[in-house]
Amino acid sequence: MSERFDVVVIGAGASGMMCAAEAGKRGRKVLVLDHAKKPGRKILISGGGRCNFSNYDVSAANFICSNPHFVKSALSQYTNWDFISMVSKHGIEFEERDHGQLFCVDSAKQIVQMLLDECDSNFVQFRYQIAVTDIEKIGSGFTLLANGHRIECESLVVATGGLSMPKLGATPFGYQLAEQFGLSVVPTTAGLVPFTLHKQDKIDFSELSGIAIPAEIYAEDGTMFKEALLFTHRGLSGPSVLQISSYWQAGQKVTINLVPEADVKELLVQSREKHPNQTTKNTLSKVLPKRLVEVLIERKQLTDKPLKQLNHKEYDQIVELLEGWQIVPNGTEGYRTAEVTLGGVDTDHLSSKTMECKTISGLYFIGEVMDVTGWLGGYNFCWCWSSGFVAGQNA
């Protein structure tokens, strides 16, 4: 004997809970299934446990998608301000950090509880530690097995997330389901992830582990981010590196302005006038960590000698190096530490207004499982709220 629901949502993460809440408000009988023991596991660990749930400044430009216009409809139907209003309505205190990022003052648990509270228990059920198998399209709906128990539904919403953070149970289930129904999947890679370095670079820079500097970092396609760069014992991290990693392809170089806040040419000229015997190392250590300058000297990328001995060409070479330092990463740390997954279910198959599959009535994809990736700064959650909302209005 089978159970029947109006909507089955696979995945009790950010987008899945949002969708369930909105469908339930429409009086739809909703069942949310998840293989984990509890909902919102990625929400709970995000932002160091404080959840960077949104941003004050959100536009389509903050997202990567094969179709850059795809995100516009959902983002306009349910905006960052709509979610901020919900957070305020539930009495959750939040604070703004750099670049308009919004975090809970207390705990990410409050966001999970808010979403659960938004789900009317008369209409929305949650079931955990469920293995979903044997999904089929039948007539005007779907059937599936949940731990071997047959369930029928009119609308099926796939909110299974991507491959990032496998320790939280990330699987390719959503991609496999899309392919089962004949939808293409844009190849996936780790996004918002630290870089690893080639052996000699790693040896040279590993002793700088823990040192952070302001930086401008450029991908080969010209994309640039200006945020902190952090040296680690494995490579490079920090907000600027996480951001640019989403635009980096294997084998490409990244170009880094190590001194975005300083006029190095002016510093060298003035220092030479006042202290002609001062060394390059001591002069540049005014605008960069001394150890970093020493490493660049050891790598013979900088020459250490008194300023009065430098010629004009050498001055220009120093400026060129520091404002356009180039390095070719060996790779990234992969899905283990990635915050998101690039690629996913091809949005060409989906309606930008509803998230419903264009060729299979009643099938929806939302959140990270889709080929939509936000920048660092709350944007991936923004996409979960917006895509979950619009699917919940239509499923």
Side-chain angles (χ1 to χ4, degrees):
M1 187 173 168
S2 62
E3 283 184 281
R4 181 158 187 85
F5 292 85
D6 296 319
V7 183
V8 168
V9 179
I10 306 177
S15 62
M17 286 192 283
M18 189 71 182
C19 176
E22 292 306 314
K25 290 170 188 175
R26 294 169 48 228
R28 302 283 277 167
K29 187 180 178 187
V30 183
L31 174 64
V32 184
L33 303 172
D34 200 288
H35 64 264
K37 293 180 180 179
K38 59 184 179 181
R41 292 183 72 190
K42 204 165 180 183
I43 297 174
L44 293 172
I45 67 159
S46 66
R50 297 284 174 84
C51 187
N52 178 194
F53 62 81
S54 192
N55 196 292
Y56 274 141
D57 182 19
V58 179
S59 76
N62 303 121
F63 298 87
I64 302 165
C65 177
S66 298
N67 174 2
H69 300 291
F70 180 82
V71 300
K72 292 178 179 177
S73 177
L75 292 176
S76 64
Q77 288 184 65
Y78 190 83
T79 70
N80 51 327
W81 299 106
D82 291 321
F83 192 81
I84 292 166
S85 295
M86 183 192 291
V87 170
S88 297
K89 182 185 80 174
H90 282 260
I92 299 171
E93 275 192 85
F94 61 90
E95 62 184 5
E96 179 184 3
R97 298 189 191 170
D98 292 344
H99 308 289
Q101 300 174 74
L102 302 178
F103 289 76
C104 296
V105 170
D106 184 13
S107 169
K109 293 177 183 176
Q110 294 173 293
I111 299 296
V112 174
Q113 190 57 53
M114 175 189 77
L115 293 166
L116 292 173
D117 290 345
E118 286 284 318
C119 293
D120 188 324
S121 58
N122 292 317
F123 295 100
V124 183
Q125 289 184 41
F126 285 81
R127 294 179 191 170
Y128 305 109
Q129 294 182 285
I130 301 292
V132 177
T133 57
D134 298 318
I135 297 172
E136 292 181 25
K137 177 83 168 121
I138 52 150
S140 61
F142 300 84
T143 65
L144 55 87
L145 295 182
N147 284 3
H149 179 69
R150 183 179 166 89
I151 292 171
E152 297 180 13
C153 61
E154 184 181 321
S155 296
L156 180 66
V157 182
V158 183
T160 50
L163 298 174
S164 53
M165 300 184 185
K167 281 187 177 178
L168 295 184
T171 74
F173 181 90
Y175 310 134
Q176 293 163 353
L177 183 57
E179 289 171 340
Q180 175 191 324
F181 284 105
L183 311 187
S184 56
V185 175
V186 176
T188 58
T189 55
L192 298 182
V193 62
F195 286 137
T196 57
L197 297 178
H198 289 283
K199 186 176 180 181
Q200 190 57 52
D201 293 334
K202 181 180 173 183
I203 292 170
D204 292 348
F205 291 106
S206 61
E207 61 189 276
L208 301 179
S209 180
I211 291 177
I213 60 170
E216 288 175 352
I217 187 164
Y218 297 79
E220 285 195 8
D221 69 358
T223 303
M224 185 275 283
F225 289 96
K226 184 179 180 180
E227 293 191 63
L229 179 148
L230 174 69
F231 290 92
T232 72
H233 62 281
R234 285 187 295 271
L236 302 175
S237 189
S240 66
V241 169
L242 298 186
Q243 295 279 37
I244 213 69
S245 70
S246 295
Y247 294 86
W248 177 81
Q249 305 286 328
Q252 292 183 340
K253 67 180 181 294
V254 290
T255 302
I256 304 169
N257 181 352
L258 299 169
V259 285
E261 312 294 343
D263 185 334
V264 176
K265 186 71 177 283
E266 186 71 15
L267 171 67
L268 292 169
V269 170
Q270 289 188 357
S271 297
R272 176 173 176 152
E273 289 176 359
K274 296 177 182 176
H275 310 287
N277 292 313
Q278 191 175 75
T279 61
T280 314
K281 180 175 79 174
N282 288 339
T283 303
L284 295 178
S285 295
K286 295 175 183 176
V287 292
L288 282 171
K290 186 176 183 180
R291 191 68 199 103
L292 173 56
V293 177
E294 289 172 345
V295 169
L296 292 174
I297 291 168
E298 289 163 11
R299 285 166 62 92
K300 297 184 169 47
Q301 290 182 282
L302 281 176
T303 304
D304 187 29
K305 56 185 179 182
L307 296 178
K308 66 182 182 183
Q309 293 181 18
L310 294 174
N311 59 40
H312 288 297
K313 185 180 178 182
E314 288 172 316
Y315 276 114
D316 291 339
Q317 287 173 338
I318 292 170
V319 174
E320 190 177 319
L321 172 74
L322 298 185
E323 293 184 355
W325 182 59
Q326 295 185 338
I327 194 161
V328 178
N330 182 42
T332 73
E333 292 196 6
Y335 293 117
R336 183 181 62 83
T337 59
E339 297 201 15
V340 290
T341 304
L342 290 157
V345 178
D346 193 332
T347 58
D348 282 351
H349 298 293
L350 309 174
S351 162
S352 63
K353 294 180 173 62
T354 66
M355 305 298 128
E356 185 177 19
C357 180
K358 294 174 182 176
T359 54
I360 302 169
S361 176
L363 179 63
Y364 297 77
F365 289 85
I366 57 175
E368 192 183 345
V369 73
M370 309 162 69
D371 174 33
V372 175
T373 305
W375 288 3
L376 189 71
Y379 297 105
N380 287 289
F381 278 132
C382 285
W383 179 244
C384 287
W385 315 140
S386 293
S387 62
F389 175 89
V390 299
Q393 298 300 306
N394 293 279

